[in-house]
Amino acid sequence: MEPESPSESAVTTCYRHPKVESHVRCTRCDRYICPDCMREAAVGHQCVECVREGARSVREARTAFGGRITTAPLVTYTFIVLNVLAYLAEVVRPETLDRFSMLGAGLTGPDGGHYVWQDTYPAGFAAEGVVNGEWYRLLTGAFLHLPPTQGTFGILHIVMNMVTLWNVGRVVESQLGRARYLALYLLSALGGSVLVLLLAPTTSTVGASGALFGVCTAYYVLARRLGADTQGVNRFMAGLLLWLVLSAAITSWQGHLGGLLTGSAVALAFAYAPRGGRRTLIQAGACVAVLAVLVLLAVGMTSALRNGAA
């Protein structure tokens, strides 16, 4: 058997690709790696396995309120798209507004018309709204807006809401993370609808304003918790409350107030939950508690409407 030549014994190959010659070692495990397996490190290069192992040991960065840090406000963008698509749907099919708007209790007549609710109604009439088991209205109404030629604002209704969502929603989502922001938005929307059900059950309402009042209130709470400029955030909140009062005559103030109160409760739980391993559990528990209260209020009011007690 002939001895190996010095040039042949000096050849080294990648530990993952034995047929590929390599002269670079991983700075962590000291194994030879080829260009396809190299990953840049602070010093030298590391192999794929060492990089993966290192990633598992690195603590994931979180926002000040425990959410995952995101590079793009995808939830805000999604809500804007859903609102715009819903608006296009109601423009193309106007009956969408009657079918999915927030309505606590109403009647449809034999002529297809809509009538004011009463717990005893003649033959040929049928109940409609949440009282008829249409629970989806509590959320779908928050994605609809006034048609272009209807109401005080017309198309400005959705334009103003989407501009507000774009400006404030992106900030709040970046502070909370996607999951917490999603919970805040949907609970605020639900809270606005529930207060409409309690105080104006026979009124049909639409709009994302309830959810946006919750998001804007959360912006104020989170900014104060982070120590932001007091004068600036106080002016913001004062303007929000002023709009709540001034718009009461031409908008559903019940929906606005319900969203504001619900958003406040959720935001306070997110902002002031103690840091540590139990923070997420406490925040989730607060959201579940808020949801439970809203469900109980909605079920109780619906039962009262059916029995003629409201």
Side-chain angles (χ1 to χ4, degrees), residues 220 231-245:
Y220 171 76
Q231 291 185 349
V233 295
N234 285 345
R235 283 196 299 269
F236 174 84
M237 194 62 191
L240 187 67
L241 295 175
L242 181 62
W243 174 245
L244 174 65
V245 174

Side-chain angles (χ1 to χ4, degrees), residues 41-164:
V43 178
H45 295 81
Q46 294 181 6
C47 66
V48 177
E49 292 180 8
C50 287
V51 170
R52 189 181 300 117
E53 182 64 29
R56 280 198 292 264
S57 62
V58 174
R59 189 174 181 179
E60 184 181 18
R62 294 276 177 172
T63 70
F65 306 105
R68 290 183 177 179
I69 295 177
T70 58
T71 57
L74 293 182
V75 178
T76 296
Y77 295 159
T78 300
F79 281 138
I80 291 175
V81 170
L82 290 176
N83 277 275
V84 172
L85 290 177
Y87 193 72
L88 294 176
E90 66 185 69
V91 170
V92 175
R93 299 179 65 87
E95 60 270 23
T96 302
L97 208 59
D98 291 330
R99 187 70 181 86
F100 294 99
S101 65
M102 171 52 207
L103 176 64
L107 294 173
T108 55
D111 58 352
H114 301 278
Y115 298 86
V116 177
W117 165 259
Q118 55 185 45
D119 57 292
T120 56
Y121 45 87
F125 285 77
E128 66 172 342
V130 179
V131 74
N132 190 42
E134 298 167 2
W135 298 99
Y136 56 84
R137 289 179 180 266
L138 292 169
L139 281 180
T140 56
F143 291 90
L144 300 173
H145 290 81
L146 293 174
T149 59
Q150 184 176 321
T152 305
F153 298 106
I155 196 172
L156 285 178
H157 187 208
I158 186 172
V159 172
M160 291 188 297
N161 279 347
M162 293 305 100
V163 169
T164 302

